Every structure is written in C-alpha cells, then in structure tokens.
Amino acid sequence: MTLSLPTYADVEAAAARIAGVAHRTPVMTSTTANDALGAKLFFKCENLQRMGAFKFRGGYNSLARFTPEQKKTGVVAFSSGNHAQAVALSARLLGIPATIIMPHDAPVTKVAATKGYGAEVVMYDRYTEDREEIGKRLSEEKGLTLIPPYNHPDVIAGQGTAAKELIEEVGELDILLAPVGGGGLLSGSALAAKALSPSCQVIGVEPEAGNDAQRSLKSGKIVHIDTPKTIADGAQTQHIGDLTYAIMSRDVAEIRTASDAELVEAMRFFAARMKLVVEPTGCLGFAAARQLGDAARGKRIGIILSGGNVDIARFCELLA
Ligand SMILES: *Cc1c(COP(=O)(O)O)cnc(C)c1O
C-alpha cells in the first residue's frame, strides 16, 4: 500500500485555515546565544502560541476540516498534554464536543487547561494501558472522529505552518532544528523547509532516554520502545508514525538527542537571558544546537521553541 503523504500545498492550505485564529508567533534572537555559538540563531516562539504550544496549529487545522456531521458528533484525542489542549481549544472555538484521553501522570496544568476548555477528560495509565486502543474504542462506540497527535496528514500540515512563518520572516536557513516526539512537528517543518529553503538541513531532536526516531531512521524501519523516562513529557512517545516516518526518512538530514541535564541548562538560559518560559521538550532544539560546535559556526539556524506549558512549581524545582 502506498501512503498518501501531505505536501507543502497542504501546509499552505493549513496556513490559510488557521490565519486569524492561531497567533503568528514572534521570532526572537539573542546576541548572547549568537556569540556563544558563532552563529545566527532564530527562535520561533511557539511557547507563546495559543494554549502554549505549536499543537494548536495541527489541532485547529484538523478540526476545521470536519464535515457538519463530524462536528455534531464530536472529536476524541489522546495526548500527554499539549495535543489534548490543542484539540480541546479548537473544539471549543468550532463548537465541537471533545473527549480527551490523558495519562494519569500528565502535568497538572495540562489536565486543568484541557478541562478548562470544556473537554471531557478520560484518564489512563501510560505505563500499562494502550491509549490508542481506548481512543479507537471510544470512536467506534460513540462515532467520534479520532484525531491522533501526530500521524495524520492534517495534523502534520498544520504543524508545518510554524516553520513556514519562520522562514518567510527571516529568510533561508542553513539548519532548522525541531523537537521530535511522534514526528508531526518535524515532518511538517521539513515540508516547509524543503519548499522555502531547499538547501536547509532539517534536524530533529529527541530525548536521549528515548531515541526511537534516531534508531528508526538509521535502521530503516519504525522502532518501538517503552515509554522513556525523561523530563521532556511532550516527547515521551513510544514510536513515530508511518506518515511521519516516510516524510522524515525523505526530508530530514539527521536526528540528534539531548539529555535532561542539557534541557534544564537550556531552560535556564531562556528564562534568565531571554525572559522566556519554555517547557523541557521545547528546549530540545537549542540543546542540540549547543552540541553542534564547528558545524554551527557562521550558519543561520532556525530553532523551534515548541511549547511553554510547564507547571510553575515544577519549573522552579528544575531550575533550583
Ligand atoms: C508534542 C510536542 C512535541 C513533539 O511533537 P511531535 O509532533 O509529536 O513530534 C514537542 N514539543 C512540544 C512542546 C510538544 O507538545
């Protein structure tokens, strides 16, 4: 079976759909960071996106395409947090009933925000239960449309709009770094980069504790792992998807990893020097940029700060 992969035209269509609803987030720079790396860094601040992460882009793009019938019956989604909030907020904006399946250990702010957007939350144990199964069951029993967090053409196309905005604003890049969980953000970013800055090297970054995407691209097939234990809760995925894998293996140059300690250091830098609250997963790109050494020198590097949803108490604890 051949997969029908989203293209850059789908990213453009998504951009039109989310225009005026999603924020066009700022691109920030830091002389300190530029000097430290000998490069020009452009930070795309999706931590300042609606609901606090880029996932609003893919969520809203997917729900906006529902038929009137799908809109009436409702949507179901499973997520460790940000996709949940993205679907919940998009559903509220579009008048669609939403059911969200969340792990019992999801960050308190993410659960509270999802409920706050009016969604019904169903809890599960991420170490013993299969959320995809729960999602499928709910969609079959109640006729709800399942919107997965990354392996869906409309989700991927929506996520690609952040990189599209970044490159349109700052011009062509030599390197683009984006975090990888299931690969929706990275594959969407790669579609945009290949169209707007063809020579740009697109690099994905995942937590050291769960380098399944890196192993998948190296081995030529999707590698499944146990839920990795890392502070990067937005990238605790067990595997990438067949759509995201296909795009990544075609358009992504490399996957790097960052340790939790490197993420905390990056988080501290953003807070202290740039006055930005970035959640641990959102720090993956910059943490990897700092590892590049000579490969970064003189380069124009785009970095997607993917989200800012971290409990304040947790944030303080990590930085203490
Ligand atoms: C979901 C998420 C990611 C990973 O995105 P994928 O599309 O699953 O690869 C990265 N950062 C944040 C903040 C997220 O919420």
Side-chain angles (χ1 to χ4, degrees), residues 51-55 79-83 110 149-150 155 159 178-187 233-235 237 240 244 248 279-284 305-309:
M51 54 61 53
F54 71 91
K55 286 214 174 64
S79 165
S80 64
N82 284 333
H83 178 63
K110 293 184 181 179
Y150 49 86
V155 172
Q159 316 308 33
V180 197
L185 176 64
L186 180 62
S187 48
D233 59 278
T237 35
I240 57 178
T244 57
M248 283 156 63
E279 63 181 278
T281 316
C283 294
L284 283 162
L305 305 187
S306 54
N309 291 328

Side-chain angles (χ1 to χ4, degrees), residues 112-135:
T114 304
K115 287 184 177 162
Y117 291 133
E120 188 187 327
V121 173
V122 175
M123 296 280 190
Y124 79 102
D125 182 339
R126 77 158 101 208
Y127 297 101
T128 61
E129 290 180 286
D130 184 347
R131 62 186 193 170
E132 298 188 26
E133 220 122 82
I134 302 171

Side-chain angles (χ1 to χ4, degrees), residues 145-169:
T145 303
L146 178 67
I147 296 297
Y150 49 86
N151 201 44
H152 187 292
D154 297 334
V155 172
I156 294 168
Q159 316 308 33
T161 59
K164 174 180 183 288
E165 289 173 15
L166 169 62
I167 299 167
E168 281 172 352
E169 184 168 333

